[in-house]
Amino acid sequence: MEARKETYEFKTEVQQMLHLIINSLYSNRDIFLRELISNASDAIDKLRFKAQTDPELLGDDTEFNIEIITDPENRTIEIADNGIGMTRDEVMENIGTIAKSGTAAFLEALEQAQKQESLTPELIGQFGVGFYSAFIVAEKVTLITRAAGADKAVKWESAGDGAYTIEEAEKPSRGTRIILKLKAGEEGDKDYTQEWVIRNIVKQHSDFVSYPIRMEVEKDEPIPEAEQEKDQDGKPVGETTRKVSATDTLNSMKAIWMQSKNDVSEDEYKEFYKHLSHDWNDPLTHIHLKLEGITEYSALLYIPASAPFDLFFPERKHGIQLYCKRVFIMDDCKELVPEYLRFIKGVVDAPDLNLNVSREILQQDLLVRNIRKNLVKKVLDLLRGMSDEEYEKFYAEFGQVLKEGFHSDWENKDRLADLIQYKTTRSEDKFVRLKDYVARMKPGQEEIYYITGDNLSMLINSPHLEALKAKEYEVLLMTDPVDEWVVQSLTEYDGKTLKSAEKGDLRLDDAADDTKKEEYSGLFEFIRGQLEEKIKEVKPSSHLKDSVACLSGDAHDMSAYMEKLLKSSGGQVPQSKRVLELNTGHPVVGKINALFEKDKENPALKDYSHLLLDMAIISEGGKIDNPSKFNRLIGDLMSNMLSE
Ligand SMILES: Nc1ncnc2c1ncn2[C@@H]1O[C@H](COP(=O)(O)OP(=O)(O)OP(=O)(O)O)[C@@H](O)[C@H]1O
């Protein structure tokens, strides 16, 4: 490694981040300490995990701790740990850049919010500012770190002004020291070099960190008898105690997940969540479980109040930490909750787990599989038991993710079905759960109707729903891409079939459909011939009441929305022809039929065939092949009508 001091520019996203932090988090300054302590605790966790397979890494430095050292004269505060440390490359990667995908888009949104003066600490806190929060209080940050197993240390330094330096350094043992040169501060600001200030912040935000957070403090010590000054009567003169310096542990290290619910306060639950999640906001709710018996475990799980910006990025971390009898085993434990519950944060402590368990065997571990099964059930029950108000909040943030469960968790399909909700044609912008839908089905209605698409107002006005609306049958309006997968696996609820309002025959009026089919068979065959490339069938519509035409598919065909989704994701979409449905109750269809019966060669019939198809495409928000021809034909028709 080079001994030289090198200067680097921060990546743009780091500069943006620092700018946002420094300018918007001044009134939340205290949290810098929580963030740095959390990082220190994570670094020790990582080392312990690695040491399970490589015990040499620990050497004789086996007493893990986090140290806080203040220097009021020089106005510095240092947070030091004997965790995993970082190599030079790791420092460059972790501290000079923000590696999370989606960062640029998120920061852009934050900047916009700042311009509109709507940037709240909650918004930026959602991103997890972590290490960079040091710059809220510091005018200069120095990081000296030595990776476990390495013999050289690295020093990183920055004044948060766009650049940082990096050079080789001395450090006698493994771990990381972060030294903050505090800003001058304003009148009345807290002084972070004062013992009581640090004590209070640690107590409030980091009490349950599982390693001792130590600080040199001044204590009163009784002066030994022999050293005391005494008067003639043997009574002490002056002070009987003196100030001495001693190391004190500031946190209680309570593993709150192992405690009984009654012994944990609401505030403690909230603070523990913030420590775990690096989220600044309070969680929406939590669940604290203790299961005894064959599958024994304790768990403290949280549902965040808002979705993290990277919820849909595949490489994002899961939020569950695994412990065994209070000993940290691993974080990011994907095996304990399925993908569709990836928003959950928390701790699971399984006392019977093999301490040397690796990620690879975790998946097959029967105990882990049982815990997972049980946790899923508990979480879904928690969701079901939420008040309507709380559930609305949850659903707005995580409903989309929850629905992914239909695809992957066959076993809990029924539980999930009780949790999904949709706006409907009759719900006036409110969400309706399936059980409420079923409860208010009309007499004679046997199926649950739904329609999928990306636009609520277009769906609600879709011509496909006209016949259903006339019968006052409610239709679920599904606007999430994931809903296409929901309806593929959820084919039934409470004994009622889920039926697409867009595809297949609705069979609302069977007898009438059959007589119309015969009456119009000649014309429909003619139109099919004209539109052969696009249409596989022309038939009397079971969907339409007021409109003239719409497109539909057979019950097993792909929906128009699914086709659109696949196309937009670049997938290969098999060319499927649609069915053109015509409203035989509409006068225009009757008139075209009369024209056809009179003169099958009439050239207008060809134009009308194309026009009918274009009208159907437009009504579902699609693009027609030849808009200028459509324009001309409509123009001709209008002019004929106006000249009559
Ligand atoms: N004390 C430390 N010891 C070792 N590595 C550290 C330490 N502090 C930070 N790091 C490394 O720097 C990375 C970035 O830290 P930062 O606090 O910015 O984000 P994070 O902790 O990964 O995420 P977030 O705070 O958003 O949850 C960490 O992931 C870790 O790899």
Side-chain angles (χ1 to χ4, degrees):
M1 187 176 44
E2 317 89 280
R4 284 175 291 125
K5 183 168 176 172
E6 294 180 340
T7 303
Y8 293 91
E9 292 270 300
F10 279 123
K11 288 265 160 49
T12 327
E13 68 271 13
V14 178
Q15 299 205 24
Q16 276 175 307
M17 187 77 181
L18 286 174
H19 177 79
L20 284 165
I21 291 172
I22 294 165
N23 288 297
S24 37
L25 296 180
Y26 197 72
S27 45
N28 292 63
R29 294 194 299 293
D30 286 1
I31 60 89
F32 84 91
L33 195 58
R34 178 182 73 203
E35 296 293 308
L36 297 182
I37 290 175
S38 282
N39 280 354
S41 153
D42 291 349
I44 301 175
D45 283 346
K46 280 183 201 159
L47 177 66
R48 292 180 70 176
F49 182 56
K50 221 169 158 194
Q52 281 168 24
T53 47
D54 185 3
E56 302 276 287
L57 275 182
L58 299 183
D60 47 17
D61 187 2
T62 51
E63 230 179 85
F64 300 110
N65 67 73
I66 298 164
E67 225 179 319
I68 300 180
I69 304 147
T70 55
D71 180 345
E73 244 162 68
N74 292 313
R75 296 200 40 77
T76 62
I77 172 169
E78 171 175 343
I79 294 93
D81 65 71
N82 56 351
I84 196 155
M86 282 178 274
T87 61
R88 186 181 193 276
D89 286 350
E90 283 166 347
V91 172
M92 298 278 291
E93 200 175 302
N94 295 332
I95 310 288
T97 53
I98 305 176
K100 294 173 193 165
S101 42
T103 298
F106 187 74
L107 288 176
E108 174 61 28
L110 288 185
E111 277 199 349
Q112 287 306 324
Q114 194 183 33
K115 271 187 204 145
Q116 291 150 19
E117 291 180 6
S118 60
L119 179 63
T120 58
E122 287 71 33
L123 208 57
I124 186 165
Q126 196 184 322
F127 184 79
V129 291
F131 172 80
Y132 301 106
S133 62
F135 288 98
I136 315 174
V137 294
E139 59 184 35
K140 188 175 80 184
V141 177
T142 309
L143 175 145
I144 301 170
T145 185
R146 183 168 143 191
D151 48 7
K152 292 258 166 61
V154 196
K155 178 172 161 187
W156 175 102
E157 199 162 69
S158 173
D161 53 0
Y164 63 90
T165 59
I166 194 157
E167 64 193 301
E168 199 174 283
E170 288 302 318
K171 189 175 185 303
S173 57
R174 127 202 120 219
T176 303
R177 298 173 57 199
I178 294 171
I179 305 140
L180 314 185
K181 168 85 181 142
L182 295 168
K183 287 179 188 169
E186 289 164 16
E187 186 72 33
D189 275 358
K190 274 184 199 162
D191 179 355
Y192 294 111
T193 63
Q194 294 294 309
E195 180 198 321
W196 68 271
V197 173
I198 300 299
R199 228 178 232 293
N200 281 345
I201 301 178
V202 171
K203 198 80 208 146
Q204 191 188 347
H205 296 299
S206 310
D207 194 45
F208 26 66
V209 167
S210 40
Y211 308 104
I213 303 170
R214 296 214 183 111
M215 190 161 77
E216 243 351 73
V217 295
E218 274 205 331
K219 279 191 168 169
D220 284 328
E221 179 192 72
I223 302 172
E225 286 276 313
E227 292 173 32
Q228 284 181 11
E229 253 184 71
K230 301 205 171 132
D231 64 13
Q232 289 165 336
D233 306 329
K235 290 209 175 113
V237 181
E239 301 289 338
T240 53
T241 58
R242 62 185 172 197
K243 300 263 179 224
V244 288
S245 199
T247 307
D248 205 2
T249 298
L250 309 183
N251 56 329
S252 72
M253 290 179 276
K254 276 192 290 193
I256 74 169
W257 63 92
M258 297 298 274
Q259 286 179 274
S260 135
K261 276 185 224 181
N262 301 335
D263 297 337
V264 184
S265 73
E266 238 354 85
D267 277 349
E268 283 177 310
Y269 277 126
K270 285 180 186 165
E271 284 301 337
F272 184 61
Y273 165 75
K274 291 175 185 175
H275 162 70
L276 270 184
S277 66
H278 294 231
D279 182 351
W280 294 19
N281 307 312
D282 288 342
L284 183 65
T285 186
H286 69 261
I287 176 169
H288 191 169
L289 303 163
K290 209 171 219 121
L291 206 80
E292 276 155 8
I294 309 169
T295 308
E296 201 173 321
Y297 73 89
S298 303
L300 174 54
L301 305 182
Y302 294 90
I303 299 182
S306 50
F309 79 104
D310 57 354
L311 189 57
F312 290 95
F313 291 108
E315 65 271 44
R316 108 175 259 283
K317 280 189 178 176
H318 277 225
I320 307 284
Q321 292 188 344
L322 180 61
Y323 280 73
C324 173
K325 298 198 201 88
R326 296 164 200 240
V327 175
F328 173 84
I329 311 267
M330 65 178 80
D331 60 6
D332 188 21
C333 192
K334 296 189 168 65
E335 292 72 15
L336 282 171
V337 286
E339 271 289 297
Y340 74 92
L341 297 178
R342 61 183 174 274
F343 50 85
I344 291 190
K345 310 264 183 201
V347 167
V348 174
D349 196 316
D352 298 330
L353 202 70
N354 176 358
L355 259 180
N356 293 319
V357 72
S358 71
R359 284 192 193 271
E360 291 70 43
I361 54 171
L362 210 57
Q363 227 165 1
Q364 282 106 52
D365 191 289
L366 189 65
L367 176 66
V368 171
R369 292 220 310 257
N370 284 339
I371 295 176
R372 172 184 164 120
K373 210 165 142 175
N374 197 267
L375 286 179
V376 173
K377 199 169 141 298
K378 298 282 184 192
V379 170
L380 297 181
D381 288 348
L382 169 75
L383 295 176
R384 205 159 73 152
M386 276 182 177
S387 67
D388 286 351
E389 193 190 345
E390 201 175 31
Y391 194 71
E392 288 303 318
K393 282 189 200 151
F394 164 79
Y395 203 75
E397 297 292 326
F398 301 111
Q400 217 180 333
V401 187
L402 189 73
K403 287 190 266 186
E404 290 174 16
F406 281 99
H407 197 53
S408 54
D409 192 355
W410 191 250
E411 211 181 305
N412 285 301
K413 202 166 55 129
D414 292 342
R415 280 199 170 80
L416 286 167
D418 281 326
L419 289 170
I420 52 171
Q421 54 181 21
Y422 292 100
K423 293 185 177 170
T424 78
T425 42
R426 297 173 67 81
S427 72
E428 280 156 13
D429 221 32
K430 290 211 174 64
F431 281 108
V432 175
R433 299 232 195 153
L434 293 182
K435 77 170 173 3
D436 298 324
Y437 177 104
V438 169
R440 60 197 210 198
M441 274 165 70
K442 291 278 163 200
Q445 181 185 349
E446 277 162 15
E447 288 159 322
I448 299 172
Y449 295 100
Y450 69 86
I451 184 162
T452 59
D454 56 3
N455 178 322
L456 200 64
S457 73
M458 201 146 78
L459 285 186
I460 209 163
N461 295 311
S462 165
H464 291 103
L465 309 187
E466 288 170 1
L468 290 167
K469 281 186 188 161
K471 279 197 167 285
E472 298 189 342
Y473 288 178
E474 190 164 16
V475 182
L476 304 171
L477 306 169
M478 300 187 165
T479 49
D480 269 346
V482 69
D483 289 329
E484 285 289 351
W485 282 272
V486 172
V487 292
Q488 270 178 32
S489 46
L490 184 70
T491 49
E492 217 186 86
Y493 178 82
D494 196 13
K496 317 267 182 302
T497 313
L498 262 83
K499 186 163 173 49
S500 166
E502 166 200 16
K503 301 182 295 174
D505 276 330
L506 290 177
R507 292 188 308 272
L508 297 175
D509 206 355
D510 277 354
D513 286 354
D514 288 346
T515 45
K516 296 283 184 191
K517 207 166 185 170
E518 248 166 63
E519 190 183 336
Y520 287 85
S521 63
L523 173 69
F524 285 4
E525 192 44 39
F526 170 85
I527 299 176
R528 195 193 64 79
Q530 295 300 315
L531 306 172
E532 202 162 27
E533 276 172 27
K534 306 213 171 67
I535 294 298
K536 64 177 166 190
E537 194 186 345
V538 180
K539 65 180 189 188
S541 179
S542 58
H543 296 95
L544 300 174
K545 209 77 198 166
D546 308 313
S547 302
V548 182
C550 70
L551 288 167
S552 71
D554 289 331
H556 56 268
D557 281 353
M558 199 183 279
S559 72
Y561 186 42
M562 184 70 159
E563 201 173 311
K564 191 168 163 188
L565 287 173
L566 287 178
K567 275 187 185 150
S568 68
S569 66
Q572 283 284 334
V573 185
Q575 255 315 322
S576 65
K577 292 184 183 176
R578 313 271 305 272
V579 174
L580 178 64
E581 292 196 8
L582 298 177
N583 181 358
T584 48
H586 197 288
V588 88
V589 179
K591 284 182 184 171
I592 297 176
N593 198 31
L595 203 66
F596 175 75
E597 292 299 339
K598 201 165 143 206
D599 174 13
K600 297 194 170 46
E601 305 297 321
N602 188 332
L605 288 168
K606 195 174 161 191
D607 285 346
Y608 292 162
S609 301
H610 285 277
L611 212 45
L612 287 169
L613 173 63
D614 286 353
M615 286 160 75
I617 295 174
I618 288 171
S619 74
E620 64 177 25
K623 273 197 182 144
I624 54 177
D625 277 354
N626 192 342
S628 61
K629 184 168 177 200
F630 176 81
N631 203 348
R632 209 181 59 239
L633 286 172
I634 294 284
D636 290 350
L637 282 175
M638 284 171 81
S639 107
N640 286 346
M641 202 191 85
L642 294 171
S643 57
E644 265 170 18

